[in-house]
């Protein structure tokens, strides 16, 4: 359902869309039932020639069944939704597939700093490539990211990946994503972080391995490469 | 401003006099405020090990003496209530003033304690432990002050034999403030 | 001082409800005795840490604090003869503080958890001449 | 000499020195309701201790603040629909102005419109009348709580005009953004905003004690627990909920105020503080807060639909138990606001389960309300239209909460406009639709005049059509990835499409329709004050005690204190000629 509105570009995006559709099904059904019952009562029992209303206490067994039966059915629906949610949540936020690549993301007041591992594939080495508001990733590669913030709360949100994780200053939060379809996607800050909250968009470029290596070489070359430590260094490790 | 007495105050459908029922609700809202503050302090205290070393600079002697002072003032408060029950307003007022004296001693000891600590550089901004120390004891101190002011008003009334049931109410508030200190004392002064 | 004759103290309740004052008039524990016990407990809680045994200090400090609080509540605040409704209400509100703690401690009390850890602070908080340099900087 | 109390007739003649009420004033010998001192405009309307006057003071302050909050909504919705163009009547909405508009729109609508109108306005006016007594138990404490509330409104408005402008860190004011001027660039606005919220909390704590104690103790003789009208139950449970949940946040507010003003480091991670601590303290209050405003609205709707459907409330006890269940449950669901905020993912599992389970009792309450309409003889007065619209709209609000309660879907939907649309589908039915139902229902009792029905219907349809036109499109833009508090979506290529922008324009047009419809209400409200048809004591032929008092009730409410003989919802009792049976009419 959501993929009509936002492209699906990561491995677990499908799971979240499926769960959204499942909940929409259950919830939509009960919503329609309740509204239809409500409006039918309104229409059927509108006042006609001062007809007397009935005296219904709602304490008799037969009357209460009209409430407890839908009540039990809703509990069953909730149990199914809970089970599905917990399984998707475990896949997205709790148990990660092994990392093929690691990146570090640092949010600060009004910019994103991405630290790519560079050609040697390891972080915190001399050849790391640090970029501002521009993350380059390879398709079909499992990335683990270390997310932190320098000053206030931010939130690393990539709608196309169905990914969102708040960046809390003083904490390093790890998450994962696995891009599937090449292209350029928006990164938004989803937690209010002051004046520039709406002015810190970043782009994720999902490219094939060759394009990525080519970009790395161009970015890692001393002439074109940015300073390895990025602006002002980060007080967190 | 003519304020007639609403008939509502004469009714007690729950069997508890309205004034005391309201006082229990005041105590309930205070439990959650001090409870929230102390629970937060305990969590951070268990998280930061170096707070134990910071806490070693608080003087257990002053804390212990203050606990003694508050316990004694609580005794006077309950004796005042006992006197008020027997309709002896003047005696109740005298005990209330002993309680207020206890409160004043408590604040005096607190003042010396604070100046001593601040002079040694343990200000509120030195470390988050000290921020909690001053916030918790400060908020408690403000409650002691408020209690003393209310007690003075109630004692003035009790001396004239009016509104004797208020002696019990201000007593309940005072016992609660004493209970908060009973929990503050080990948390801030003993756990070293 | 003319002895107050005007009013025998009765809580402003309608006579229909049992005036609690009368029940309590004769049900009095001696307050001074209670006060003595409280002071003894206070002395014990102060003496506790001198033995240096960690669990003993905790027991004396916090165990005694709870006992003292219960005694003040029961005898001084007369909760022991108050309507049960009030006791349940106060206990429920106090239980909320535990609920608050239970929901927060995994994030605030711990320094790491599932897929997150507290970044060790490279920068020492300002104005800390006395603390050990390695104190906060080390991982904990 | 024991106190002679004769609850039936006049207040007992008091002997000097007899214990009087709590407020420390001398036992005035004046017989109640008899001769008063000189009553000037000030003592009657401004410094009055009459619960009805204080109730109306809360309501009028709430309405004025609703206009201010609504104007803010107009300003930032115009900016979203027509980015970077000066908004007529406001000027250019720059990013920091946008943030402070959004922050204060949220804070005003919840703290200064929903709570005063629902809890304090209707609570003050209705509780003494509906439980059959003459006033609140502590009239001067009641007046003090309104005065504190008024001061908090002034302090909030002052926070807009200080250097740096109003606070712009969202109504949740998460530190470290809110805890230091270097981050939020409103060094004066942030502490003032927080002080205003803290004062408002103290006002509602004092008011809450008054409501709870009055409802518990000052009931009319004969009124058993099950004879109390549902709106009184709901306002009392809401006050208890507020009192129990506001405590930790008051402690948190003290800490944040010290961080902002004194420079302590409670929430500054660099020095040992923890930003997540504030989030937990805030939402421990935040979620019970939404039930604090929901329950009075449900109570108002219960009164309105039973009267205008001429039907007994379906399963009174079931509704009461599920209300208590919802209230208790609301304390263990708060972290569903923080699924992606950095809390431990294992805790998120627990809170997902509790959040989905809390939808059960609320669902049951709504089903019982819908079941009340079965077999009724429904007359669509304006108040009934609003009452039924509450049920229809709130269903969608409750239902969309399941998406956000499920943690995995919240990973995508958190802090998007889907959330904004969800909570407007719950807050607008609560704070606007249910309040209008209450105003149209009790206006005759408050002012002794009937409101105009045709203007009322114009206002109803304008509000409902406008409201749905705003927030249905926002569900879609939210699902497309529109995030909250972003002043212009032109910077995000995936969101700067024409399709999404047209949806935002539709939402703004809906907002304009809704604002215009309110003029019908204001005209109707003011005109009916003088030119409305005079209202009898019981224009809707209802059962509850407030209709036994004259319209508008004098000081002291009832000529003689009523005694209650039956429940509040004995409508259409078989074998009786009339289809209603007031509580105070002897069998």
């Amino acid at each position: 359902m959501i993929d009509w509105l936002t492209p699906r570009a990561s491995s677990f995006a499908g799971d979240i869309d499926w769960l959204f559709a499942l909940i929409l099904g259950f919830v939509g059904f009960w919503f329609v039932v309740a509204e239809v019952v409500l409006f039918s009562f309104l229409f059927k029992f509108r006042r006609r020639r001062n007809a007397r209303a009935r005296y219904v206490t709602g304490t008799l067994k037969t009357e209460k069944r009209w409430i407890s039966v839908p009540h039990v059915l809703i509990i069953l629906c909730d149990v199914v939704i809970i089970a599905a949610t917990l399984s998707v949540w475990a896949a997205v936020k709790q148990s990660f597939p092994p990392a093929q690549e690691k990146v570090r993301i640092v949010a600060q007041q009004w910019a994103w700093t991405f630290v790519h591992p560079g050609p040697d594939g390891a972080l915190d080495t001399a050849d790391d490539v640090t970029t501002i508001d521009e993350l380059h990733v390879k398709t079909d590669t499992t990335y683990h990211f270390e997310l932190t913030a320098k000053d206030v709360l931010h939130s690393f949100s990539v709608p196309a990946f169905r990914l969102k994780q708040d960046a809390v200053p003083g904490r390093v939060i790890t998450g994962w994503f696995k891009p599937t379809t090449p292209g350029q996607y928006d990164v938004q800050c989803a937690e209010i972080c002051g004046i520039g909250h709406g002015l810190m968009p970043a782009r994720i470029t999902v490219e094939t391995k060759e394009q990525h290596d080519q970009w790395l070489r161009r970015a890692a070359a001393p002439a074109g490469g940015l300073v390895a430590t990025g602006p002002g260094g980060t007080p967190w490790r | 401003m003519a304020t007639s007495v609403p008939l509502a105050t004469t009714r007690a459908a729950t069997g508890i006099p309205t004034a005391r029922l309201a006082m229990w609700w005041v105590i309930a809202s205070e439990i959650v405020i001090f409870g929230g503050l102390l629970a937060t302090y305990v969590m951070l205290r268990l998280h930061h090990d170096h707070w134990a070393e910071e806490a070693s600079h608080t003087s257990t002697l002053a804390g212990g003496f203050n606990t003694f002072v508050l316990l004694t003032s609580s005794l006077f408060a309950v004796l005042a209530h006992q006197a008020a029950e027997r309709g002896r307003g003047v005696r109740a007022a005298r005990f209330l003033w002993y309680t207020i004296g206890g409160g004043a001693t408590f604040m005096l000891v607190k003042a010396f304690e604070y100046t001593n600590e601040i002079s040694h550089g343990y200000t509120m901004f030195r470390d988050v432990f000290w921020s909690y120390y001053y916030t918790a004891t400060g908020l408690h101190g403000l409650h002691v002050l408020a209690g003393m002011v209310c007690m003075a008003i109630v004692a003035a009334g009790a001396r004239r034999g009016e509104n004797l049931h208020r002696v019990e109410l201000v007593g309940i508030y005072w016992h609660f403030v004493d209970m908060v200190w009973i929990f503050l004392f080990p948390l801030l002064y003993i756990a070293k | 001082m003319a002895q107050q004759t005007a009013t025998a103290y009765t809580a402003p309740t309608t006579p229909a409800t049992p005036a609690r004052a009368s029940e309590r008039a004769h049900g009095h524990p001696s307050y001074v005795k209670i006060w003595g016990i409280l002071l003894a407990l206070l002395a014990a809680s102060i003496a506790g840490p001198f033995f240096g045994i960690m669990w003993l200090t905790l027991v004396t400090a916090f165990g005694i604090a709870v006992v003292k609080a219960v005694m003040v509540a029961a005898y001084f605040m007369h909760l022991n003869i108050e309507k049960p409704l009030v006791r349940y209400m106060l206990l429920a509100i106090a239980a909320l503080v535990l609920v608050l703690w239970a929901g927060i401690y995994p994030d605030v009390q711990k320094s790491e958890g599932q897929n997150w850890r507290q970044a060790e602070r490279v920068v020492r908080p300002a104005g800390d001449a006395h603390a050990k340099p390695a104190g906060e900087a080390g991982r904990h | 000499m024991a106190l002679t109390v004769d609850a039936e007739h006049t207040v007992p003649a008091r002997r000097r020195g007899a214990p009087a009420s709590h407020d420390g004033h001398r036992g005035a010998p004046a017989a109640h309701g008899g001769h008063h001192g000189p009553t000037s405009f000030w003592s009657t309307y401004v410094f009055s201790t009459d619960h009805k006057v204080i109730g109306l003071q809360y309501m009028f302050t709430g309405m004025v603040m609703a206009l201010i909050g609504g104007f803010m909504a107009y300003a930032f919705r115009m900016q979203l629909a027509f980015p970077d163009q000066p908004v007529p009547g406001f000027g250019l909405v720059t990013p920091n102005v946008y943030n402070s508009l959004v922050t204060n729109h949220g804070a005003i609508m919840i703290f200064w419109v929903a709570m005063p109108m629902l809890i304090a306005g209707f609570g003050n006016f209705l509780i003494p009348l509906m439980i059959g007594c003459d006033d609140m138990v502590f009239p001067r404490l009641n007046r003090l709580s309104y005065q504190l509330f008024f001061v908090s409104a002034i302090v909030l408005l002052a926070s807009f005009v200080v250097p740096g402008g109003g606070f712009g860190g969202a109504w949740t004011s998460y530190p470290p953004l809110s805890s230091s001027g270097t981050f939020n660039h409103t060094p004066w606005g942030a502490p003032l905003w927080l002080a205003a919220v803290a004062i408002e909390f103290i006002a509602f704590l004092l008011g809450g004690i008054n409501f709870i104690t009055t409802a518990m103790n000052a009931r009319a003789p004969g009124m058993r627990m099950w004879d109390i009208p549902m709106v009184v139950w709901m306002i009392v449970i809401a006050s208890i909920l507020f009192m129990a949940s506001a405590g930790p946040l008051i402690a948190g507010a003290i800490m944040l105020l010290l961080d902002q003003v004194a420079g302590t480091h409670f929430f500054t991670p660099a020095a040992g503080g923890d930003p997540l601590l504030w989030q937990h303290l805030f939402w421990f209050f935040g979620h019970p807060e939404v039930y604090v405003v929901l329950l009075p609205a449900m109570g108002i709707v219960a009164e309105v639909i039973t009267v205008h459907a001429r039907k007994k409330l379906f399963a009174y006890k079931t509704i009461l138990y599920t209300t208590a269940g919802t209230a208790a449950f609301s304390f263990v669901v708060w972290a569903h606001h923080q699924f992606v905020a950095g809390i431990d993912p294992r805790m998120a599992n627990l809170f997902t389960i509790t959040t989905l389970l809390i939808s059960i009792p609320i669902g049951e309450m709504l089903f019982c309300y819908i079941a009340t309409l079965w077999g009724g003889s429904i007359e669509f007065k304006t108040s009934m239209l609003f009452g039924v619209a509450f049920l229809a709209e709130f269903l969608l609000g409750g239902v969309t909460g399941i998406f956000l309660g499920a943690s995995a879907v919240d990973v995508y939907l958190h802090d998007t406009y889907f959330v904004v649309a969800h909570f407007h589908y719950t807050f607008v039915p609560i704070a606007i639709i249910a309040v209008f139902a209450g105003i149209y229902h009790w206006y005759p009792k408050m002012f002794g005049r009937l409101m105009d029905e045709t203007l009322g219907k114009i206002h109803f349809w304008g509000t409902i059509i406008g409201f749905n036109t705003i927030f249905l499109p926002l569900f879609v833009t939210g699902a497309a990835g529109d995030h909250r508090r972003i002043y212009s979506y032109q910077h995000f290529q995936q969101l700067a499409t024409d399709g999404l922008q047209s949806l935002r324009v539709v939402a703004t047009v809906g907002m304009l329709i809704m604002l215009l419809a309110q003029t019908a209400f204001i005209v109707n409200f003011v005109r009916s004050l003088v030119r409305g048809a005079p209202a009898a004591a019981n224009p809707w032929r209802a059962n509850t005690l407030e209709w036994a008092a004259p319209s508008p009730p004098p000081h002291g409410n009832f000529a003689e204190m009523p005694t209650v003989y039956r429940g509040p919802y004995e409508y259409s009792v078989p074998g009786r000629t009339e289809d209603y049976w007031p509580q105070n009419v002897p069998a």
Side-chain angles (χ1 to χ4, degrees):
Chain A
M1 190 71 79
I2 303 179
D3 53 330
W4 298 349
L5 302 162
T6 321
R8 198 182 278 175
S10 84
S11 58
F12 55 68
D15 301 344
I16 291 182
D17 288 358
W18 167 77
L19 185 60
F20 183 89
L22 174 82
I23 295 176
L24 187 64
F26 278 126
V27 148
F29 167 73
W30 282 109
F31 173 67
V32 167
V33 163
E35 292 286 355
V36 162
V37 166
L38 172 62
F39 284 105
S40 68
F41 283 175
L42 289 181
F43 179 74
K44 211 163 108 190
F45 298 106
R46 65 191 186 287
R47 180 163 298 176
R48 283 189 298 268
R49 292 182 312 283
N50 277 333
R52 277 288 283 261
R54 313 227 193 143
Y55 186 75
V56 174
T57 63
T59 50
L60 305 177
K61 207 74 196 94
T62 52
E63 293 159 356
K64 278 199 173 176
R65 214 178 310 115
W66 285 99
I67 298 290
S68 51
V69 165
H71 184 59
V72 168
L73 294 177
I74 287 180
I75 291 178
L76 293 181
C77 298
D78 267 350
V79 167
V80 170
I81 294 175
I82 288 174
T85 306
L86 295 190
S87 66
V88 174
W89 175 260
V92 170
K93 287 281 180 187
Q94 290 185 305
S95 53
F96 302 160
Q100 290 164 321
E101 288 277 348
K102 268 186 175 304
V103 283
R104 179 167 302 123
I105 305 168
V106 180
Q108 66 182 73
Q109 273 197 314
W110 309 312
W112 297 95
T113 309
F114 300 107
V115 181
H116 303 72
D120 68 356
L123 267 180
D124 299 333
T125 55
D127 72 345
D128 285 0
V129 173
T130 302
T131 56
I132 306 294
D133 292 346
E134 185 64 44
L135 176 63
H136 286 258
V137 287
K138 294 181 287 233
T139 58
D140 301 329
T141 323
T142 306
Y143 277 83
H144 280 205
F145 59 84
E146 276 187 1
L147 178 65
T148 184
K150 274 193 199 167
D151 34 38
V152 290
L153 291 175
H154 298 272
S155 182
F156 180 65
S157 166
V158 187
F161 291 0
R162 308 294 187 275
L163 165 70
K164 184 172 293 144
Q165 179 55 52
D166 276 21
V168 181
R171 278 170 192 245
V172 177
I173 299 169
T174 50
W176 76 287
F177 58 85
K178 178 177 173 186
T180 47
T181 47
Q184 282 219 336
Y185 306 105
D186 276 346
V187 171
Q188 299 181 35
C189 175
E191 188 64 57
I192 187 152
C193 54
I195 296 177
H197 169 61
L199 301 165
M200 52 190 280
R203 298 286 284 170
I204 290 189
T205 314
V206 181
E207 52 211 356
T208 59
K209 190 165 181 355
E210 298 70 29
Q211 292 165 331
H212 185 72
D213 295 343
Q214 193 189 357
W215 171 78
L216 262 185
R217 270 193 306 280
R218 232 182 323 92
L226 286 168
V227 173
T229 55
T234 161
W236 318 117
R237 259 201 309 286
Chain B
M1 230 303 288
T3 54
S4 57
V5 173
L7 176 85
T9 49
T10 62
R11 291 178 176 169
T14 55
I16 305 166
T18 306
R20 195 164 69 231
L21 182 63
M23 187 45 81
W24 286 123
W25 281 109
V26 168
I27 299 296
S29 62
E30 290 283 346
I31 286 176
V32 187
I33 294 175
F34 278 105
L37 193 62
L38 291 188
T40 316
Y41 165 75
V42 166
M43 280 188 272
L44 284 168
R45 176 63 188 266
L46 295 174
H47 180 193
H48 296 288
D49 304 337
H50 77 280
W51 280 19
E53 178 233 324
E54 299 283 344
S56 63
H57 301 294
T58 59
S59 89
T60 313
L61 180 66
F65 178 70
N66 264 344
T67 314
F68 162 74
V69 165
L70 274 190
L71 284 178
T72 319
S73 66
S74 269
L75 171 70
F76 289 136
V78 81
L79 291 178
H81 165 217
Q82 194 178 32
E85 253 176 12
R86 297 199 180 94
R88 295 167 46 203
V90 175
R91 183 175 153 80
R94 198 174 337 109
F95 274 121
L96 282 183
W97 277 103
Y98 292 158
T99 314
I100 295 170
T105 328
F106 174 86
M107 298 304 285
L108 212 64
V109 171
K110 268 244 90 32
F112 280 115
E113 208 186 329
Y114 277 176
T115 43
N116 176 18
E117 279 156 357
I118 292 172
S119 62
H120 285 84
Y122 300 116
T123 62
M124 189 182 215
F125 317 106
R126 183 184 143 77
D127 188 74
V128 185
F129 166 80
W130 291 102
S131 310
Y132 271 105
Y133 170 77
Y134 284 107
T135 309
T137 46
L139 190 65
H140 175 265
L142 284 179
H143 278 78
V144 167
L145 265 186
M148 285 159 62
V149 168
C150 295
M151 216 173 269
I153 295 168
V154 168
R159 189 176 301 285
R160 289 191 304 278
E162 284 146 12
N163 302 327
L164 288 178
H165 65 289
R166 290 204 191 131
V167 175
E168 179 192 6
L169 304 181
V170 82
I172 290 176
Y173 174 85
W174 192 259
H175 297 311
F176 169 75
V177 165
D178 180 22
M179 266 166 63
V180 170
W181 180 260
I182 285 175
F183 284 110
L184 267 178
F185 174 58
L187 284 173
L188 293 173
Y189 290 90
I190 290 187
K192 290 245 187 326
Chain C
M1 268 299 291
Q3 182 56 27
Q4 282 295 349
T5 54
T7 53
Y9 164 73
T10 49
T13 56
T14 50
T17 56
R20 208 197 80 185
S22 57
E23 294 155 18
R24 245 193 359 238
H26 43 74
H28 265 308
S30 137
Y31 291 119
V32 181
K33 186 160 68 67
I34 303 282
W35 176 65
I37 298 168
L38 287 171
L39 288 191
L41 290 173
L42 167 67
S45 64
I46 292 179
F50 292 109
F51 299 102
I53 313 159
M54 195 47 192
W55 62 267
L56 179 65
T57 317
L58 286 183
V59 161
T60 53
F62 297 106
I64 287 179
V66 169
V67 168
K68 283 199 291 189
V70 165
M71 282 181 71
V72 167
Y75 297 111
F76 284 0
M77 290 163 111
H78 302 299
L79 269 176
N80 50 4
I81 41 175
E82 179 60 281
K83 283 254 186 292
L85 167 80
V86 173
R87 280 200 296 273
Y88 300 146
M89 179 248 304
L90 292 178
L91 281 177
I93 296 269
L96 276 185
V97 176
L98 290 181
V99 167
L100 177 80
W101 176 77
I104 296 181
Y105 87 91
D107 299 324
V108 169
Q109 198 170 309
K110 298 274 193 300
S111 56
E112 65 202 344
Q114 195 172 47
N115 300 331
W116 66 271
R117 59 177 168 79
Q118 199 144 34
E120 73 276 16
R121 291 195 308 281
V122 175
V123 175
R124 276 295 301 136
D128 199 359
H130 310 290
K132 300 187 294 298
E136 195 41 55
R139 289 177 58 90
H140 49 70
Chain D
M1 197 266 322
L3 204 59
T4 55
V5 171
D6 183 351
E8 273 316 304
H9 300 296
T10 59
V11 168
R14 283 189 185 271
R15 289 290 303 282
R16 182 176 158 73
S21 82
H22 171 80
D23 308 312
H25 66 79
R26 226 167 279 283
H32 176 77
H35 161 69
H36 283 280
T39 52
S40 66
F41 165 80
W42 291 100
S43 69
T44 315
Y45 291 108
V46 179
F47 295 100
S48 159
T49 58
D50 185 324
H51 70 100
K52 298 181 286 304
V53 173
I54 294 172
L56 293 178
Q57 285 170 341
Y58 267 110
M59 243 174 61
F60 290 130
T61 317
M63 286 182 185
V64 168
M65 293 303 272
L67 291 178
I68 296 172
F71 178 70
M72 290 179 174
Y74 158 76
F76 65 71
R77 269 255 55 99
M78 292 295 282
Q79 153 68 16
L80 286 173
F82 315 104
D84 300 331
Q85 288 159 18
V87 171
F90 183 82
L92 190 63
V93 177
T94 56
N96 56 342
V97 168
Y98 179 87
N99 283 347
S100 93
L101 284 175
V102 163
T103 302
N104 289 297
H105 170 77
I108 283 178
M109 286 308 197
I110 294 173
F111 292 129
W112 280 279
V113 173
M115 280 175 70
M117 299 282 276
L118 283 163
I119 299 175
F122 285 112
N124 265 316
F125 189 86
L126 292 177
I127 288 183
L129 278 168
M130 277 182 150
I131 59 172
C133 75
D134 55 350
D135 204 329
M136 281 289 178
V137 195
F138 307 115
R140 293 192 307 173
L141 183 68
N142 205 15
R143 180 181 61 190
L144 174 66
S145 74
Y146 172 72
Q147 287 163 347
L148 274 175
F149 172 75
F150 186 75
V151 163
S152 75
I154 299 299
V155 169
L156 181 82
L157 297 179
S159 82
F160 302 156
V161 293
V162 286
F167 173 58
W171 79 286
T172 51
S173 76
Y174 282 172
L177 175 66
S178 62
S179 68
S180 83
T182 54
F183 292 141
N184 56 35
H185 303 288
T186 55
W188 295 92
L192 268 177
W193 182 88
L194 193 61
V197 174
I199 297 169
E200 200 258 351
F201 274 24
I202 307 297
F204 273 91
L205 279 180
L206 293 179
I209 290 173
N210 225 338
F211 298 148
I212 299 167
T213 320
T214 303
M216 280 172 88
N217 256 356
R219 296 199 297 270
M223 183 179 256
R224 300 182 317 252
M225 297 281 267
W226 320 118
D227 303 336
I228 302 175
M230 193 49 79
V231 73
V232 174
W233 266 116
M234 297 282 191
I235 291 176
V236 165
I237 294 176
S239 297
I240 296 173
L241 252 181
F242 175 82
M243 176 177 299
S245 64
L249 188 61
I250 290 173
I254 292 168
M255 293 194 264
L256 186 59
L257 206 60
L258 287 173
D259 263 17
Q260 290 171 340
V261 175
T264 51
H265 299 295
F266 286 110
F267 302 114
T268 321
D274 193 343
L276 275 181
L277 173 61
W278 166 269
Q279 290 183 22
H280 276 293
L281 292 179
F282 182 85
W283 288 114
F284 180 82
F285 156 77
H287 202 80
E289 165 68 8
V290 300
Y291 294 103
V292 161
V293 283
L294 166 69
L295 294 183
M298 295 284 275
I300 290 170
V301 167
E303 300 301 327
V304 165
I305 61 174
T306 45
V307 166
H308 294 289
R310 312 310 291 164
K311 257 280 323 306
K312 185 176 174 66
L313 189 64
F314 188 89
Y316 176 101
K317 284 192 182 158
T318 309
I319 291 179
L320 210 51
Y321 293 148
T322 43
T323 306
T326 313
F329 227 76
S330 69
F331 282 106
V332 286
V333 285
W334 78 84
H336 59 236
H337 299 273
Q338 303 161 262
F339 281 144
V340 289
I343 63 170
D344 197 292
R346 291 166 293 193
M347 287 302 287
N349 290 333
L350 171 74
F351 282 105
T352 294
I353 295 169
T354 50
T355 304
L356 290 186
L357 289 185
I358 201 169
S359 66
I360 308 283
I362 298 255
E364 191 166 341
M365 277 161 72
L366 285 171
F367 288 167
C368 286
Y369 278 34
I370 294 174
T372 305
L373 297 174
W374 182 84
S377 162
I378 300 167
E379 188 184 9
F380 290 105
K381 293 273 188 216
T382 316
S383 59
M384 185 57 172
L385 283 174
F386 276 109
V388 163
F390 172 89
L391 293 178
E393 303 289 358
F394 189 78
L395 273 174
L396 183 59
V399 142
T400 47
I402 306 289
F403 291 93
L404 303 167
S407 52
V409 181
D410 192 55
V411 166
Y412 176 65
L413 294 177
H414 178 68
D415 259 352
T416 64
Y417 264 76
F418 192 94
V419 175
V420 171
H422 157 67
F423 68 67
H424 276 90
Y425 262 94
T426 50
F427 268 132
V428 166
I430 289 170
I432 294 179
I433 294 175
V435 165
F436 281 141
I439 290 173
Y440 281 99
H441 187 66
W442 278 295
Y443 188 96
K445 184 52 66 182
M446 288 174 181
F447 302 108
R449 300 264 178 180
L450 287 171
M451 286 184 89
D452 179 69
E453 281 299 317
T454 43
L455 266 179
K457 298 223 172 16
I458 297 166
H459 170 233
F460 169 73
W461 290 109
T463 307
I464 294 301
I465 292 167
F467 164 61
N468 286 299
T469 320
I470 302 173
F471 291 108
L472 285 178
L474 290 186
F475 274 123
V476 175
T477 55
D482 267 15
H483 277 80
R484 290 173 71 174
R485 300 161 183 144
I486 288 183
Y487 90 109
S488 158
Y489 291 100
Q490 305 315 314
H491 307 285
F492 300 93
Q493 283 152 28
Q494 279 179 266
L495 302 175
T497 62
D498 294 342
L500 290 178
Q501 189 57 29
S502 56
L503 283 177
R504 293 180 202 118
V505 169
V506 165
T508 300
V509 166
M511 183 269 302
L512 292 175
I513 297 169
M514 190 170 173
L515 282 189
L516 284 180
Q518 303 320 311
T519 51
F521 173 71
I522 292 167
V523 165
N524 193 355
F525 192 94
V526 174
R527 208 164 57 85
S528 307
L529 277 179
V530 272
R531 287 226 299 280
N538 198 350
W540 315 121
R541 302 191 333 280
N543 288 347
T544 41
L545 289 180
E546 83 270 25
W547 303 104
S551 303
H555 185 70
N557 293 347
F558 301 96
E560 53 159 282
M561 289 303 151
T563 307
V564 168
Y565 298 96
R566 67 193 59 76
Y569 301 115
E570 296 309 309
Y571 290 103
S572 316
V573 175
R576 276 178 57 80
T577 50
E578 288 170 357
D579 67 354
Y580 70 105
W581 200 0
Q583 287 189 283
N584 59 339
V585 168

